[in-house]
Amino acid sequence: MDDKELLKNKLISLLKEIECVRFGEFVLASGKKSDYYVDIKKATTNPKILKTVAIYIKELLKENGNLDENLKIAGVELGSVPIATAVSIETEKDLIIIRKKAKDYGTKNKIEGTLNKNDKVIVVEDVTTTGGSVAKAIEEIRKNGGIVEKVFVIVDRMEGAKENLKNMDVELIPLVEVNELRD
């Protein structure tokens, strides 16, 4: 087993240990009903999981030669900020935070941190369903001159995010697919 496989298995084990997936009747942020809920905040507030995720993403970036000098790590407020912070620390790459809406005071920025024209940006996300919220973040980064080709997500619910992001020329790389947490 290689390092990536070990990291993936460790992550799955940790997510199961904290009972990150709950079964029952739930209404998702989209308003859609589901028979399970990925309680990802349990994961993104757990230091062992954050560290495992950060190391795993760093390995995937190294493997693909993506640790470019101008690489930035982006997280969408609020859910993916802890993930992006952990990955930023592990890779020693600058962090940027994408706000869902601009502040109405101060600088009124929608992007916090330094984003230069043609910076490559890796977006990290906690959970994806259709990819709608991460798509908005990608559009904001691109509007401000950043280049986004990859999104890493801790758990993909397998409900269209991969296909929707592919239509934006972005590859979704799930660390875990929800069916791997069902056992």
Side-chain angles (χ1 to χ4, degrees):
M1 227 187 282
D2 68 2
D3 288 349
K4 288 188 329 268
E5 254 183 289
L6 289 170
L7 287 163
K8 181 174 184 151
N9 290 339
K10 180 178 180 181
L11 180 58
I12 289 170
S13 175
L14 288 168
L15 291 171
K16 285 180 178 180
E17 190 179 298
I18 64 163
E19 299 177 350
C20 173
V21 179
R22 298 187 2 224
F23 297 93
E25 289 183 28
F26 299 94
V27 177
L28 305 177
S30 63
K32 185 179 162 196
K33 290 185 177 167
S34 177
D35 62 348
Y36 70 94
Y37 179 71
V38 181
D39 191 358
I40 201 68
K41 299 306 179 262
K42 279 179 138 181
T44 60
T45 56
N46 180 301
K48 286 182 186 171
I49 292 174
L50 285 172
K51 188 172 189 167
T52 302
V53 165
I55 293 168
Y56 189 7
I57 290 174
K58 181 180 179 180
E59 286 301 310
L60 292 168
L61 289 171
K62 268 199 307 195
E63 175 187 79
N64 296 316
N66 288 122
L67 285 174
D68 297 313
E69 284 184 39
N70 70 339
L71 183 70
K72 305 286 171 109
I73 308 298
V76 183
E77 75 164 334
L78 176 72
S80 23
V81 172
I83 306 160
T85 302
V87 174
S88 171
I89 291 167
E90 184 63 32
T91 60
E92 297 184 359
K93 298 296 178 184
D94 287 356
L95 169 69
I96 58 173
I97 298 169
I98 314 304
R99 293 181 177 279
K100 291 184 180 164
K101 62 181 190 175
K103 298 186 299 184
D104 55 3
Y105 59 90
T107 59
K108 300 183 181 184
N109 290 339
K110 205 164 173 191
I111 296 178
E112 298 296 341
T114 304
L115 177 64
N116 301 305
K117 189 172 171 45
N118 297 322
D119 277 349
K120 278 194 173 180
V121 180
I122 299 296
V123 180
V124 296
E125 183 64 295
D126 50 9
V127 176
T128 49
T129 302
T130 62
S133 62
V134 78
K136 289 177 187 162
I138 292 165
E139 287 169 2
E140 189 64 30
I141 293 165
R142 287 178 170 172
K143 189 172 85 180
N144 285 277
I147 299 166
V148 181
E149 297 172 342
K150 295 180 188 318
V151 170
F152 290 89
V153 63
I154 295 178
V155 179
D156 182 16
R157 291 178 52 95
M158 310 298 293
E159 295 182 32
K162 193 170 254 198
E163 297 75 16
N164 291 337
L165 293 179
K166 188 174 184 180
N167 291 335
M168 297 177 74
D169 294 319
V170 175
E171 179 186 9
L172 178 68
I173 303 167
L175 303 184
V176 178
E177 294 175 348
V178 73
N179 56 347
E180 295 173 296
L181 298 172
R182 286 188 176 262
D183 318 325

